[in-house]
Amino acid sequence: MLVLRLFSFLAFILSLALLGMGALCLLDPHGARGYLIDIFTAPLLSVALAAAFVLIQLRQRASALISLLAAGLLGVGFWPQINPPQPPTDTKATPVRLIFANLYAKNETPQRLLDWVRTENPDVVAIVEAGPLAEATLAAKLRQTYPHMARRYDTFVFSRYPLTRPRARPIGYSLLTVEVAAPAGAFHLAVAHLTRPWPFSAPGDQPRQLERLGADLRDEQPERTV
């Protein structure tokens, strides 16, 4: 009997903790300083749903109800990541297909990206961390299909459409902006490569870079920037 009561108490504490996490994720404005909350919202949602399922099977009704409520809050908090706010799409415009790849500077088989490019058949290919091997094995082959190229160090943009206004932005992190002359109208493409999140770097490094990225892109038209 004591074991059952202890289990019920621990289940109740877990449910309350998940509910608190759900409230925290819901209140987070999804800004640069709250990026860790954004990262862990989806895993916490999975944990809350799993906990609710197990607690329902074990007939821990109060704890299961709290876990379901926590899952609801986490779902609402996760929704902006699934469906970020953006201007309505012009259904009459010719769509532009774009792929982005972080090749990893020490990648020993960067040419495998070519299979993905052939399968997806995009109009624009953006690459970061293209090391010397990637430059030697990919650039010439991609130029056969994508004649227009812009580059900043290990960041490349290959495009079927003309590229204008290539700008290598301030040092401190990697940012290349370029204007793509797409059939439905030119748009701005910003290819950024930030540092890794905590715990791989200091907690404040990535948020500071994200805030700087927003400041560096203020001179572009947000509604026409990817």
Side-chain angles (χ1 to χ4, degrees):
M1 197 69 178
L2 179 61
V3 174
L4 181 60
R5 288 183 178 179
L6 180 60
F7 175 79
S8 298
F9 175 75
L10 292 177
F12 188 72
I13 294 299
L14 172 63
S15 301
L16 286 179
L18 289 171
L19 183 63
M21 291 293 184
L24 183 62
C25 292
L26 185 62
L27 294 174
D28 174 54
H30 300 282
R33 296 295 172 181
Y35 78 105
L36 287 176
I37 295 175
D38 292 336
I39 290 173
F40 291 111
T41 302
L44 285 171
L45 174 59
S46 301
V47 171
L49 290 173
F53 175 79
V54 172
L55 292 171
I56 288 173
Q57 303 306 310
L58 297 176
R59 298 184 180 181
Q60 299 290 324
R61 295 183 179 85
S63 297
L65 181 61
I66 296 173
S67 295
L68 286 173
L69 180 59
L73 293 179
L74 288 163
V76 174
F78 189 48
W79 181 250
Q81 299 182 47
I82 302 174
N83 186 33
Q86 57 187 345
T89 302
D90 184 357
T91 56
K92 297 180 181 179
T94 303
V96 176
R97 291 175 56 81
L98 183 150
I99 65 173
F100 171 83
N102 184 328
L103 290 183
Y104 178 57
K106 298 181 181 179
N107 188 343
E108 297 181 355
T109 57
Q111 67 275 12
R112 293 179 61 185
L113 178 72
L114 294 172
D115 295 332
W116 186 37
V117 172
R118 293 190 192 100
T119 301
E120 298 298 330
N121 191 30
D123 301 301
V124 181
V125 179
I127 302 171
V128 298
E129 281 205 43
L133 182 58
E135 182 180 353
T137 58
L138 288 178
K141 292 182 179 179
L142 286 173
R143 288 294 292 272
Q144 295 174 6
T145 306
Y146 304 94
H148 307 283
M149 186 188 80
R151 177 185 181 182
R152 180 190 188 274
Y153 301 123
D154 62 354
T155 297
F156 289 80
V157 176
F158 299 90
S159 173
R160 285 196 172 101
Y161 311 125
L163 302 176
T164 58
R165 295 180 59 219
R167 299 174 63 189
R169 297 305 183 98
I171 59 173
Y173 71 108
S174 176
L175 173 61
L176 171 65
T177 61
V178 66
E179 191 166 286
V180 183
F187 67 91
H188 305 290
L189 176 63
V191 184
H193 185 208
L194 307 186
T195 188
R196 294 184 296 176
W198 177 87
F200 302 102
S201 63
D205 287 351
Q206 195 182 73
R208 280 193 294 269
Q209 290 186 350
L210 187 59
E211 290 174 348
R212 184 174 177 180
L213 176 64
D216 289 340
L217 294 179
R218 283 175 187 160
D219 58 340
E220 307 286 3
Q221 295 176 291
E223 68 278 4
R224 297 198 64 82
T225 299
V226 177

